[in-house]
Amino acid sequence: MTVQSSAAAPGALACTSNQIRVEVRMGYHETIGDEAAKMLEYVENGTTDSAETPMEVPASAYTDPAHFDREMATIFHRLPLLAALTAEMPNPGDYKAMDLMGKPVLITRRTDGSVAAMLNVCSHRGMILTPEGHGNKKRFSCPYHAWTFANDGKLVGVAEPGKFGPVCKEERGLKTLPCAEAGGIIWVSLSHDADIDIEKHLGGMLDDLDAYDLANWHYCGSRRIHGANWKIAYDGYLEGYHFAAAHPETIHPRTFSNIMHFTAFGPHMRVGYPQVSIKEKLGAEPRERWGHIENSGYDFVRTIFPNVSIFFAPEITQVAQLIPGPTPDRNTTNLLFIRREPPRDAEDAAGIETMMDWLSDVVDREDYGVGLQVQKGLESGALSSVIFGRNERGNQYFHKYVDYLIANDADAPPPVL
């Protein structure tokens, strides 16, 4: 496995991309097979993975501006965030410009294949250097006064330098951000002094990403939706208790409602959902194959704390990049879509667009639409707290981890699932 955050180069902090196909930790598929077997057991017994007791969370955790500010300071401005997929910018010179937590961020792939992350702000007068989006450039010229920067962030040209006066170019590069590339994802920290240990941060979840070799997939496109408080959105990814009521014609015909299996890797989770066909599909395969047939009898949603949800589907994979704010009652979610192979032809490309539209509409209408109503209900003052049942074990664990990080107590042990 090759995962590296390199030392800073002039003008940017670079990180080496995965250049070889990674080897997944031994026993990974056996573990997935065991989780499939556990889901089958739940279906046969009419049970689900459960916590010991219900748990209450103050309603103010979703509405209070001071609480929201603490979450942003202790979580979103400290931990590595998904900024881009490797598949979005696979070639030297590729770049992605975006707004990440209210900050203009520019990620570039340098000639040697490494990735640099920086603030997308010209060091002359603070102009946004390049508009949001993707492209391929060796250099970036500021649209205000035409100062020019290499794609590693180094200042290489000042317009009319004789008239402007002396400038130390080495001190006027773009402001760098720590970054790392692992598991087919480019991670960025918004804390300039952060030391990203992405293997430690991801833990066992990196095995899931490596198993799929995402760095070599095809980027299909994205959709943007808007929702309520970030934890309301995150809550929805962690349980299938709502499938029958909220997804009666989309998810529920395929997947049992209120049967889940939870596995945690630090704050990250792999949540298993048995399909209604699980008995038939697993029964048709030898036991040693059960861990190799995800989407055939069972599915997983993988959440990578604090802003990622991944659903690998047979047709296309959806990666949700959740960005809180700017106020407690809002989030912006970018749905990024990838699949193993590029479109075969025009008809296949059109089918991909249709699938992205459909998936985005389902999440927007049936999940985020509900979440906005939840936000309105909580802001009404009708509840002092919300309650998570024993069956909502993943949600309980998620909220315990949020509280643990906000407390910022070095002596306190992290939550255990």
Side-chain angles (χ1 to χ4, degrees), residues 105-335:
V105 173
L106 176 64
I107 304 172
T108 63
R109 190 170 299 281
R110 307 195 315 182
T111 303
D112 64 359
S114 64
V115 178
M118 58 211 87
L119 291 179
N120 183 24
V121 178
C122 178
S123 59
H124 171 216
R125 295 266 292 279
M127 178 66 180
I128 300 300
L129 190 60
T130 191
E132 180 176 329
H134 300 78
N136 186 286
K137 289 183 179 180
K138 292 182 179 179
R139 295 188 173 188
F140 295 87
S141 181
C142 178
Y144 196 6
H145 296 95
W147 280 32
T148 304
F149 301 84
N151 78 344
D152 62 358
K154 183 186 301 182
L155 176 62
V156 295
V158 174
E160 299 191 56
K163 293 181 179 179
F164 189 87
V167 174
C168 180
K169 293 181 180 178
E170 289 75 15
E171 296 178 355
R172 289 286 173 176
L174 301 181
K175 186 73 171 180
T176 64
L177 294 171
C179 66
E181 188 169 25
I185 295 174
I186 298 165
W187 311 88
V188 169
S189 173
L190 297 178
S191 293
H192 297 282
D193 59 351
D195 181 15
I196 295 183
D197 184 342
I198 198 64
E199 289 191 69
K200 180 179 179 181
H201 175 66
L202 293 175
M205 186 57 75
L206 186 54
D207 292 325
D208 279 54
L209 300 177
D210 286 345
Y212 278 90
D213 192 28
L214 295 185
N216 293 308
W217 285 34
H218 172 75
Y219 176 65
C220 301
S222 67
R223 300 291 186 269
R224 179 169 292 172
I225 58 178
H226 300 276
N229 179 273
W230 74 278
K231 295 190 301 298
I232 289 176
Y234 209 105
D235 278 334
Y237 294 120
L238 294 175
E239 50 88 359
Y241 187 30
H242 69 283
F243 286 176
H247 304 293
E249 298 178 358
T250 52
I251 296 176
H252 190 227
R254 167 190 172 95
T255 307
F256 284 102
S257 190
N258 202 23
I259 302 180
M260 299 80 71
H261 181 75
F262 303 99
T263 301
F265 308 96
H268 322 300
M269 273 184 277
R270 182 170 62 227
V271 186
Y273 297 101
Q275 298 173 6
V276 295
S277 62
I278 188 169
K279 293 182 183 180
E280 172 190 348
K281 294 296 179 63
L282 295 187
E285 297 283 347
R287 176 61 178 80
E288 61 270 19
R289 284 283 304 155
W290 287 7
H292 296 265
I293 58 170
E294 182 174 343
N295 300 132
S296 182
Y298 63 92
D299 301 295
F300 289 105
V301 169
R302 293 162 171 89
T303 59
I304 303 178
F305 192 90
N307 77 323
V308 183
S309 169
I310 304 176
F311 175 55
F312 293 100
E315 306 86 0
I316 198 169
T317 287
Q318 175 181 286
V319 181
Q321 177 198 39
L322 199 158
I323 302 173
T327 52
D329 60 329
R330 295 169 59 188
N331 90 80
T332 297
T333 296
N334 296 314
L335 301 176

